[in-house]
Amino acid sequence: MFAAIRRIKLKPGMVEEYTKLVKAGAVPVMKKMDGFKAFYVMVSADNTVTSLSLFTNKEVAESSTQTLMPWIKENLGPLLSSLPEAIDGEVVISEGQ
């Protein structure tokens, strides 16, 4: 399994708008990607949003950031207080129920 992690700092009060836009725009794009497994989003108290996308395909995990960054900048730009950070890599431990 492979993961793409994105970290975004939102302007205060923008979490609800971020959630609405991502559900309507980015999630459908990811679901169409080969090997898409899951998408999770965590919001911390300081309005930092961390998202985790999981894929079975390494190349798609790596390219998901290239695919989504233009969408993020175009659609989420007004909500951001800093540029997004992105990393991707292999999941080496996976525990769950």
Side-chain angles (χ1 to χ4, degrees):
M1 190 164 6
F2 299 89
I5 299 171
R6 293 172 198 87
R7 191 169 150 215
I8 299 172
K9 176 83 171 173
L10 298 177
K11 294 175 183 174
M14 294 292 121
V15 172
E16 189 174 321
E17 183 67 15
Y18 163 88
T19 302
K20 183 178 83 173
L21 290 170
V22 169
K23 280 183 179 180
V27 171
V29 171
M30 280 188 288
K31 284 185 170 183
K32 292 178 184 175
M33 293 179 177
D34 183 42
F36 172 80
K37 294 295 287 177
F39 179 65
Y40 302 95
V41 175
M42 178 192 82
V43 180
S44 61
D46 69 348
N47 293 309
T48 298
V49 176
T50 304
S51 67
L52 170 67
S53 307
L54 296 174
F55 300 90
T56 59
N57 183 308
K58 178 182 179 182
E59 290 74 26
V60 175
E62 291 172 348
S63 70
S64 71
T65 296
Q66 295 169 344
T67 300
L68 289 172
M69 275 306 187
W71 184 92
I72 290 169
K73 290 176 183 175
E74 181 179 330
N75 294 279
L76 303 178
L79 311 179
L80 308 181
S81 65
S82 66
L83 294 176
E85 299 175 55
I87 58 171
D88 55 67
E90 183 177 3
V91 175
V92 295
I93 298 175
S94 176
E95 295 292 330
Q97 296 180 351

